[in-house]
Amino acid sequence: MDSQLPSVLLLLLLRALSLWGQGPEPGGPLEEPGKEEVPEEDGILVLNHRTLGLALQEHPALLVEFYAPWCGHCKALAPEYIKAAALLAAESAKTRLAKVDGPSEPELTKEFAVTEYPTLKFFRNGNRTDPEDYTGPREAAGIAEWLRRRVGSSTTRLEDEEGAQALIDAHDIVVIGFFQDEDVATFLALAQDALDMTFGLTDRPQLFQKFGLTKDTVVLFKKFDEGRADFPVDEELGLDQGDLSHFLLTHSMHLVTEFNSQTSPKIFAARILNHLLLFINQTLAPHQELLAGFREAALPFRGQVLFVAVDVSANNNHVLQYFGLRAEEAPTLRFINMETTKKYMPADSGPVTAAWVTTFCDSVLGGKVKPYLLSQEVPPDWDQHPVKTLVGKNFEQVAFDETKNVFIKFYAPWCTHCKEMAPAWEALAEKYKDHEDIIIAELDATANEVEGFAVQGFPTLKYFPAGQGRKVIEYKSARDLETFSKFLDNGGKLPEEEPPEASAPFPDTIANSTVDLKEEL
């Protein structure tokens, strides 16, 4: 028995070798274990913590969206993201688009410091440690163009007059950098992000001569207004990207910009603090004729005052409301400083001519015109209900009545939180309606402004205690009848709390808008 053991083992070994390489099914080869495939949806790679590395290895240019299934902004971006992927695929571009379900992949959101959705990161050459934040628009053409300028050239190299003229003729706005001594890295970096402009670059002396240049200069060519604007490079300081960006943004805009949903982002991004708005009805020929004088007045103020036309016959009611205007009041002018949100209106209603517009602008800039504050008219029954109705015109006399403790709700008619707490506020007013020294009131902060008063969110609750000193206490506790009552019964503080810190004298020199202009418009 023992002598036969080696023979048996040998037979078994040979049998195993004959079966090696065969699959689980008779006669079928055994498949090699392959790497995990990355799934796709609508041309977009769907990644997780296992497949991200594979995608980075395979695609040298990868844009990844971190999204949340419940995020409204992500849902709005989704169709545009799909369109962008299709555009790039049609061009056989090297760039791929991908997405990651952020809440389902906490490892990745932590690794890439994702704190909000959607967040987009651009990865180059498999570099996982330092992706670039996506800074472009959120529509398909803009996404595709942002990526094109990162994987390809963002500028056209110009060698002769024919090529330069062809580029200028082909586009509404063309920016050409004429550089012989300047390091062009700054110019190229800016060209990557200025997606609404076409860029060219040259060092050819004959092109300097053709366009009348003797030093390094960035020239913006445009098919409107002045036709051209020059930005000479400082010989000592070189090319500053921030200054050049501001120059291009300012001069790429028309002297008069019509306000609409497409132009409003550019208007607010222009970094010009002073805006002059002409409200006209574009359906009326006499109103349209006013634009010529308005445009004529705009040129000397370029870069200092942004001239904007607002069509009252279009969907611009929110703009009218912000400035306290009715459509019937057009044509009229309003001036606003975006930093202070102070608003100004002409003292007279003269004809809108270039001279009249110029005089108004000079008067505002010279401090000769006082700002105005929005206010509704005081309702005749403002004090006839448990909740008193305040507007800009009666706020001062009520809020700072030294014999009254006044509790005011600053609200917005569209605010969901304001609507939710309305029953508690009504109940509070009903409870204290017979207390002569307590007033419960409300003020629509979207239609009324108070000098020296800033309302950052809605609802904002302020308590104005009786007595001298014009003190103000901000209420920040629970918004229910019981807590409101404890606050009032304890003289403007809850029993378990220390007195709120904000009981400082009421300022009377700074005017603050109650609504952020960018959000309101």
Side-chain angles (χ1 to χ4, degrees), residues 156 166-174 197-199 221-223:
T156 300
L167 185 68
I168 294 170
D169 292 342
H171 304 277
D172 289 339
I173 299 175
V174 174
M197 304 178 197
T198 299
F199 287 78
F221 298 92
K222 51 187 175 180
K223 290 187 172 66

Side-chain angles (χ1 to χ4, degrees), residues 364-391:
V364 174
L365 296 174
K368 298 178 182 178
V369 181
K370 292 184 178 181
Y372 72 92
L373 297 171
L374 293 182
S375 178
Q376 297 171 307
E377 292 300 320
V378 180
D381 61 344
W382 73 270
D383 62 347
Q384 299 302 303
H385 306 283
V387 177
K388 313 307 178 188
T389 302
L390 300 186
V391 296

Side-chain angles (χ1 to χ4, degrees), residues 145-160:
E145 181 62 21
W146 190 91
L147 291 168
R148 289 188 200 104
R149 296 200 182 191
R150 274 153 177 77
V151 299
S153 175
S154 58
T155 62
T156 300
R157 179 70 63 169
L158 303 174
E159 303 292 345
D160 52 39

Side-chain angles (χ1 to χ4, degrees), residues 172-213:
D172 289 339
I173 299 175
V174 174
V175 180
I176 299 179
F178 295 82
F179 299 122
Q180 289 182 330
D181 301 321
E182 178 67 22
D183 180 0
V184 300
T186 299
F187 182 78
L188 294 175
L190 189 147
Q192 283 193 333
D193 290 318
L195 306 183
D196 55 347
M197 304 178 197
T198 299
F199 287 78
L201 181 65
T202 188
D203 60 358
R204 298 306 186 200
Q206 65 268 31
L207 291 180
F208 275 71
Q209 183 177 357
K210 172 179 173 57
F211 293 102
L213 302 173

Side-chain angles (χ1 to χ4, degrees), residues 44 62-65 73-74 76-88 91 93 95-98 118 120-122 134-151 192-193 195-196:
I44 297 170
L62 186 68
L63 180 65
V64 180
E65 176 204 4
H73 295 295
C74 301
L77 174 61
E80 297 298 321
Y81 204 57
I82 293 170
K83 291 178 187 176
L87 287 173
L88 294 168
E91 302 168 6
T95 304
R96 288 300 304 269
L97 271 58
L120 289 86
K121 303 275 186 178
F122 179 58
Y134 176 80
T135 56
R138 295 189 177 182
E139 46 81 25
I143 294 170
E145 181 62 21
W146 190 91
L147 291 168
R148 289 188 200 104
R149 296 200 182 191
R150 274 153 177 77
V151 299
Q192 283 193 333
D193 290 318
L195 306 183
D196 55 347

